[in-house]
Amino acid sequence: MGVSTNATMIEVSDLWKAFGPLQVLKGISLEVPKGSAVAIIGPSGSGKSTLLRCINLLELPERGRVRVGDQAIDCAGGKLPGDRHLASFRARTGMVFQLFNLFPHMTALENVGAGPLFVKKMPPGQAREIARALLAKVGLADKANAYPSHLSGGQRQRVAIARALAMSPEVILFDEVTSALDPELVGEVLDVIRSLAEEGMTMVLVTHEMAFAHEVAKSVAFMSDGVIVENGPPAEVLVRPQNPRTQAFLARFHSFTRSFPGAGS
Amino acid sequence: MTSVTYNWDFSFLWMYRWLLLKGLGFTMLYTIGSVVFGLLLGLLVGLLRLSKSWLVNFPLIAYIEAFRCTPLLVLIIWFYYAFPVLVGVDMPASVAGMLVLSLYTGAFYAEIFRGGVISIERGQWDAARAIGMRQVQVLRRVILPQAIKRMIPPFINQSIIQLKNTSLVSTIAVSDLLYQGQLITSATYRPLETYTTVAFIYFAILFPLTLGAQVVERRLQRSD
């Protein structure tokens, strides 16, 4: 992929995951270089979200290896990592969800400060300071004391991003974070993600926003039926897909991909 | 003397006011005691029921269903007369009464706790875990604060029912309000006035509590 000079921040190798009789991931391998964004696209039910949830161990893979930074977990079947181990792994891997999942009984400020306060055991004043700075960063300094129910979808998602950032994660996983938003609110969330990408945050984005993937992702992986069918720079995967399954999927987004540079043929 | 010409006369009860008050004291003691013990038991059992282990769940389900699907009066009599024979330990009525009432209401509380916790969306667990919270922290900081709000109305209802349930321990001669009424009746041969008064005392306590519960419930709904 021509990124061998960069260190690899996320390394997933031969990952398998089943829910009951349903084999969702069938030997996934993926590398994310430090400081770059990787987009995962594909039809629903292809295992994209499950892959993301396996990277921060919200789901435990039955087989395979996941490494984030210098923490690695081998799932060779049988022995599962303990609660403490899992928690410390997740603390350094931020995640943002499709349905925001803000804590409804906490204000925006308390949501963002929850990680520093309860997980990092910071003094409350310091946690509040961090939370305030991050809310300002996502453009919501004036909403610090608002409860989630009083925020728009776009604002909620920006609070959720700030909450993930508050743990100073090495990577952030975005799970279809704009899919539940009204179209006019998508832009404000993408702007925040874009600026994180520009700052060099390592990220994995499961998304249906092809134009955005094309813009910020260093590489795009197309998943179908539990396997990564095609993986490469967006100019190749999104514009000149080689695999027939990728071609069929992207045909639905043709109006976007046609406008991409290099999409002449 | 027929009921038409019955002369109602409550004045003799004034003589027995301390007995009635003592009975009321026992009723409250058994209510509060069994609510507190039942709550602790229900919390423990309800939280353990969240475990995915069949080994943990099976005995707890057996306990909950045994107590929920058997009439309380039968349980009281069984624990007072049969249980001591079974284990070879003599149990005073007061202990048997408190024990059964606590176990009984604990089974209901356990289901209220479990129901409250599992009613919280899975996304809340995901989000709390994703920022690195450990299992106990997720429960304490994220799930329970939301779940408790949903548990309060059924908890109050169950506790109000529990106050009424305590009257059943009079059958094993625990000197609660109803038992004192029976004593007074056998001394005065005036069941009409006595039981009417006993019924009124229960009502006078429960009716305001019920109204209060409705106010709490409405207030919780509004803050959702």
Side-chain angles (χ1 to χ4, degrees), chain A residues 53 56 58 83-84 87 90-91 93 97 101-106 115 118-119 121 163 167, chain B residues 121-137 141-143 145-146:
Chain A
R53 292 170 64 85
N56 77 344
L58 276 181
D83 184 36
R84 179 192 297 268
R90 293 183 191 127
T93 313
F97 302 87
N101 299 348
L102 290 183
F103 307 133
H105 59 299
M106 299 183 191
F118 299 132
V119 178
K121 316 277 190 204
R163 178 175 65 180
M167 291 302 292
Chain B
E121 309 75 62
R122 200 179 86 139
Q124 294 289 308
W125 288 89
D126 283 348
R129 283 187 183 132
I131 57 172
M133 284 195 192
R134 299 185 58 182
Q135 205 75 344
V136 175
Q137 287 178 312
R141 303 293 182 184
V142 176
I143 304 300
Q146 299 178 60

Side-chain angles (χ1 to χ4, degrees), chain B residues 174-192:
Chain B
V174 170
S175 49
D176 77 326
L177 184 57
L178 179 57
Y179 184 78
Q180 304 293 8
Q182 289 164 353
L183 282 188
I184 296 168
T185 299
S186 56
T188 62
Y189 302 106
R190 299 197 74 100
L192 264 157

Side-chain angles (χ1 to χ4, degrees), chain A residues 16 22 29 48 51 57 62 75 87 94 102 110 121 123 129-130 156 159 163 219 238 244-245 255 257:
Chain A
W16 293 75
L22 186 69
S29 295
K48 310 180 298 282
L51 170 59
L57 303 177
E62 67 217 37
C75 301
L102 290 183
E110 288 166 344
K121 316 277 190 204
E129 227 167 273
I130 288 175
R156 287 183 206 185
V159 173
R163 178 175 65 180
S219 69
L238 291 178
R245 281 197 273 182
S255 54
T257 52

